[in-house]
């Protein structure tokens, strides 16, 4: 079975998994309360400790060494796309990737941003119009905000349930030299609702494994991602993150615009805990 089909089926089950986790955690807490009341046992030191009422904020700039494959097209015409990270990097003008996370007790606010601008200029053979070259530019912007709740908070296992949305903007333009013919530009924007989860597994006081993902749709037929990271604390406020990320989207608009691609590759980031 293909990898993307396995990922698709796995994350279509996320809402059921999250509901089961919440139900299990709630039932466990109720059982503990009933046991404590029936036995008259005193609360444990952990339950009497004063909770941390402060917000804890972390900023994670990262680099995604990703390639893209799939299909894209418009007006009834589709072409296959297969570009490695090296291909994309050679056309990259500027980019910004990062995540901001704020946590208070069990409540989580998280926002992921990815923006890239690519361009390439190609010469054109002799033609009747007199155009010598064409400059192609492409822009991609993704914004993924979400709100979450820590449904399980144990020493060896922590699970966050997250809901949110992903905003997509794709834009492209063609500019001709000399400008005897006007330029051509087009863009597409859409929003997908998402549900997902993150699982944190502490390995030691300095190392941790994080596995998570989300799935949904709305503007797109399907939109999902999965990621696995290994974190290592290199100082009191800094954690080095390294892992793999896979993002798949299948968008088909009423104007016959098609963007059905999978983006995947290694990820390297640095989490800076501001507070």
């Amino acid at each position: 079975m293909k990898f993307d089909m396995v990922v698709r089926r796995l994350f279509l089950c996320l809402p059921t998994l999250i509901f089961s986790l919440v139900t299990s955690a709630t039932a466990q807490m109720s059982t503990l309360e009933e046991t404590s009341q029936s036995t008259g046992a005193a609360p444990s030191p952990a339950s009497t400790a004063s909770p941390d009422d402060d917000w804890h904020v972390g900023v994670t700039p990262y680099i995604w060494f990703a390639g893209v494959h799939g299909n894209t097209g418009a007006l009834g015409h589709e072409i296959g796309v297969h570009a490695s990270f090296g291909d994309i990097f050679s056309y990259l003008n500027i980019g910004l990737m990062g995540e901001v996370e704020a946590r208070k007790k069990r409540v989580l606010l998280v926002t992921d941003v990815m923006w890239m601008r690519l361009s390439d200029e190609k010469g054109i053979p002799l033609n009747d119009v007199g155009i010598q070259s064409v400059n192609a530019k492409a822009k991609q912007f993704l914004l993924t905000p979400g709100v979450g709740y820590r449904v399980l908070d144990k020493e060896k296992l922590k699970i966050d349930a997250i809901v949110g949305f992903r905003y997509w903007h794709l834009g492209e333009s063609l500019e001709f030299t000399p400008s005897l013919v006007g330029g051509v530009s087009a863009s597409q924007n859409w929003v997908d609702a998402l549900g997902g989860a993150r699982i944190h597994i502490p390995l030691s006081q300095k190392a941790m494994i994080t596995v998570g993902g989300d799935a949904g749709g709305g503007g797109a037929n399907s939109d999902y991602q999965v990621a696995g990271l290994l974190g290592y604390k290199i100082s009191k406020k800094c954690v080095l993150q390294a892992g793999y990320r896979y993002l798949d989207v299948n968008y088909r608009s009423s104007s016959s615009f098609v963007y059905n691609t999978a983006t995947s590759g290694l990820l390297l980031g640095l989490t800076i805990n501001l507070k």
Side-chain angles (χ1 to χ4, degrees):
M1 183 178 294
K2 294 183 179 180
F3 175 72
D4 58 343
M5 291 297 296
V6 174
V7 175
R8 187 190 300 270
R9 293 182 179 181
L10 175 62
F11 282 92
L12 286 177
C13 299
L14 276 174
T16 303
L17 173 62
I18 294 171
F19 177 78
S20 300
L21 289 171
V22 174
T23 304
S24 176
T26 303
Q28 184 178 11
M29 292 175 63
S30 299
T31 302
L32 290 175
E33 290 179 356
E34 292 175 0
T35 303
S36 177
Q37 292 175 359
S38 61
T39 59
S44 62
S47 63
T48 59
S50 59
D52 187 352
D53 292 330
D54 294 332
W55 282 98
H56 298 275
V57 181
V59 179
T60 307
Y62 63 84
I63 300 176
W64 190 12
F65 301 92
V68 180
H69 69 273
N71 295 317
T72 184
L75 302 177
H77 300 280
E78 292 188 35
I79 59 172
V81 176
H82 185 85
S84 66
F85 169 75
D87 297 330
I88 296 175
F89 185 76
S90 63
Y91 300 132
L92 180 65
N93 296 135
I94 190 172
L96 174 66
M97 302 176 187
E99 181 178 280
V100 178
E101 178 179 312
R103 185 183 297 275
K104 182 177 182 180
K105 296 183 179 178
R106 291 186 176 230
V107 177
L108 167 69
L109 302 176
V110 60
T111 300
D112 183 83
V113 177
M114 187 175 71
W115 172 65
M116 292 189 301
R117 188 175 69 183
L118 311 173
S119 69
D120 187 29
E121 186 170 355
K122 294 291 186 181
I124 297 179
L126 185 63
N127 56 84
D128 295 336
V129 183
I131 297 176
Q132 300 174 0
S133 65
V134 57
N135 186 9
K137 297 180 180 179
K139 292 183 291 185
Q140 184 181 57
F141 176 73
L142 278 72
L143 176 66
T144 312
V147 58
Y149 184 80
R150 177 150 290 179
V151 296
L152 188 63
D153 192 6
K154 301 295 184 181
E155 182 180 355
K156 297 297 183 179
L157 180 63
K158 304 177 187 297
I159 300 178
D160 299 326
I162 302 175
V163 295
F165 66 88
R166 184 152 38 242
Y167 167 77
W168 291 77
H169 170 79
L170 302 175
E172 58 185 5
S173 64
L174 300 176
E175 298 177 357
F176 303 98
T177 304
S179 57
L180 303 176
V181 180
V184 178
S185 63
S187 64
Q188 292 288 325
N189 306 276
W190 72 90
V191 176
D192 296 322
L194 303 170
R198 288 183 180 179
I199 302 173
H200 307 276
I201 305 174
L203 301 178
S204 67
Q205 291 184 349
K206 290 190 174 183
M208 172 183 289
I209 292 176
T210 301
V211 179
D214 52 51
N221 294 336
S222 63
D223 183 350
Y224 63 91
Q225 71 169 338
V226 59
L229 297 170
L230 174 63
Y232 187 81
K233 184 180 292 187
I234 58 177
S235 70
K236 184 177 180 180
K237 291 185 174 294
C238 296
V239 180
L240 184 65
Q241 305 275 3
Y244 185 86
R245 182 181 183 185
Y246 180 95
L247 172 64
D248 187 286
V249 63
N250 182 6
Y251 175 78
R252 296 175 183 270
S253 71
S254 57
S255 59
S256 300
F257 180 87
V258 177
Y259 191 71
N260 182 12
T261 64
T263 306
S264 60
L266 299 178
L267 186 146
L268 182 64
L270 180 67
T271 299
I272 304 171
N273 295 308
L274 303 180
K275 185 177 180 182

Short mmCIF file of all heavy atoms in Angstrom, two decimals, residues 47 55 60 62 107 128 133 136 168 191 196-197 208 263:
data_model
loop_
_atom_site.label_atom_id
_atom_site.label_comp_id
_atom_site.label_asym_id
_atom_site.label_seq_id
_atom_site.Cartn_x
_atom_site.Cartn_y
_atom_site.Cartn_z
N SER A 47 -1.58 16.96 43.76
CA SER A 47 -2.87 17.62 43.59
C SER A 47 -3.00 18.86 44.45
O SER A 47 -3.82 19.72 44.18
CB SER A 47 -4.00 16.63 43.92
OG SER A 47 -3.92 16.23 45.27
N TRP A 55 1.58 32.04 31.37
CA TRP A 55 1.68 31.61 29.99
C TRP A 55 3.14 31.30 29.68
O TRP A 55 4.03 32.05 30.07
CB TRP A 55 1.17 32.68 29.04
CG TRP A 55 -0.32 32.76 28.95
CD1 TRP A 55 -1.13 33.63 29.60
CD2 TRP A 55 -1.17 31.94 28.14
NE1 TRP A 55 -2.45 33.41 29.26
CE2 TRP A 55 -2.50 32.38 28.37
CE3 TRP A 55 -0.95 30.88 27.27
CZ2 TRP A 55 -3.59 31.79 27.74
CZ3 TRP A 55 -2.04 30.29 26.63
CH2 TRP A 55 -3.33 30.74 26.87
N THR A 60 9.65 28.80 17.31
CA THR A 60 10.47 27.80 16.63
C THR A 60 10.65 28.16 15.16
O THR A 60 9.81 27.82 14.31
CB THR A 60 9.82 26.40 16.71
OG1 THR A 60 9.56 26.08 18.08
CG2 THR A 60 10.75 25.34 16.12
N TYR A 62 12.26 27.32 11.65
CA TYR A 62 12.72 26.03 11.14
C TYR A 62 12.96 26.09 9.64
O TYR A 62 12.51 27.02 8.94
CB TYR A 62 11.71 24.92 11.47
CG TYR A 62 10.34 25.06 10.85
CD1 TYR A 62 10.09 24.62 9.55
CD2 TYR A 62 9.29 25.61 11.58
CE1 TYR A 62 8.83 24.74 8.98
CE2 TYR A 62 8.02 25.73 11.02
CZ TYR A 62 7.80 25.29 9.73
OH TYR A 62 6.55 25.42 9.16
N VAL A 107 -4.17 24.41 28.48
CA VAL A 107 -4.64 25.08 27.26
C VAL A 107 -3.44 25.44 26.37
O VAL A 107 -2.40 25.89 26.85
CB VAL A 107 -5.44 26.35 27.61
CG1 VAL A 107 -5.85 27.09 26.34
CG2 VAL A 107 -6.65 25.99 28.43
N ASP A 128 7.63 35.51 -33.69
CA ASP A 128 7.04 36.64 -34.42
C ASP A 128 6.68 37.80 -33.50
O ASP A 128 6.69 38.96 -33.91
CB ASP A 128 5.78 36.17 -35.16
CG ASP A 128 6.10 35.16 -36.25
OD1 ASP A 128 7.26 35.17 -36.72
OD2 ASP A 128 5.22 34.35 -36.60
N SER A 133 12.44 36.87 -23.45
CA SER A 133 12.49 36.03 -22.25
C SER A 133 11.21 36.19 -21.46
O SER A 133 10.45 37.15 -21.65
CB SER A 133 13.69 36.41 -21.38
OG SER A 133 13.55 37.72 -20.87
N ALA A 136 9.06 33.98 -14.65
CA ALA A 136 7.97 33.33 -13.92
C ALA A 136 8.19 33.47 -12.42
O ALA A 136 9.29 33.20 -11.92
CB ALA A 136 7.88 31.86 -14.32
N TRP A 168 -4.65 28.70 2.78
CA TRP A 168 -3.74 28.53 1.65
C TRP A 168 -3.84 29.73 0.71
O TRP A 168 -4.94 30.19 0.40
CB TRP A 168 -4.08 27.28 0.84
CG TRP A 168 -3.84 25.97 1.51
CD1 TRP A 168 -4.61 25.38 2.47
CD2 TRP A 168 -2.77 25.06 1.25
NE1 TRP A 168 -4.10 24.17 2.84
CE2 TRP A 168 -2.96 23.93 2.10
CE3 TRP A 168 -1.67 25.06 0.39
CZ2 TRP A 168 -2.10 22.85 2.10
CZ3 TRP A 168 -0.82 23.98 0.39
CH2 TRP A 168 -1.02 22.89 1.24
N VAL A 191 -9.60 27.87 2.57
CA VAL A 191 -9.43 27.56 3.99
C VAL A 191 -9.96 26.16 4.26
O VAL A 191 -11.03 25.80 3.77
CB VAL A 191 -10.16 28.58 4.88
CG1 VAL A 191 -10.04 28.19 6.35
CG2 VAL A 191 -9.62 29.98 4.66
N GLY A 196 -6.71 17.50 14.99
CA GLY A 196 -5.50 16.69 15.08
C GLY A 196 -5.07 16.46 16.51
O GLY A 196 -5.79 16.77 17.47
N ALA A 197 -3.87 15.93 16.65
CA ALA A 197 -3.34 15.61 17.97
C ALA A 197 -1.83 15.61 17.94
O ALA A 197 -1.21 15.45 16.87
CB ALA A 197 -3.85 14.25 18.43
N MET A 208 13.23 14.32 23.94
CA MET A 208 11.80 14.06 23.83
C MET A 208 11.44 13.74 22.39
O MET A 208 11.99 14.32 21.45
CB MET A 208 10.98 15.26 24.31
CG MET A 208 9.47 15.15 24.05
SD MET A 208 8.55 16.62 24.55
CE MET A 208 8.65 16.49 26.34
N THR A 263 3.95 17.31 -0.19
CA THR A 263 5.23 17.95 0.12
C THR A 263 5.83 17.22 1.32
O THR A 263 5.17 17.09 2.36
CB THR A 263 5.04 19.44 0.46
OG1 THR A 263 4.33 20.08 -0.60
CG2 THR A 263 6.37 20.12 0.67
#
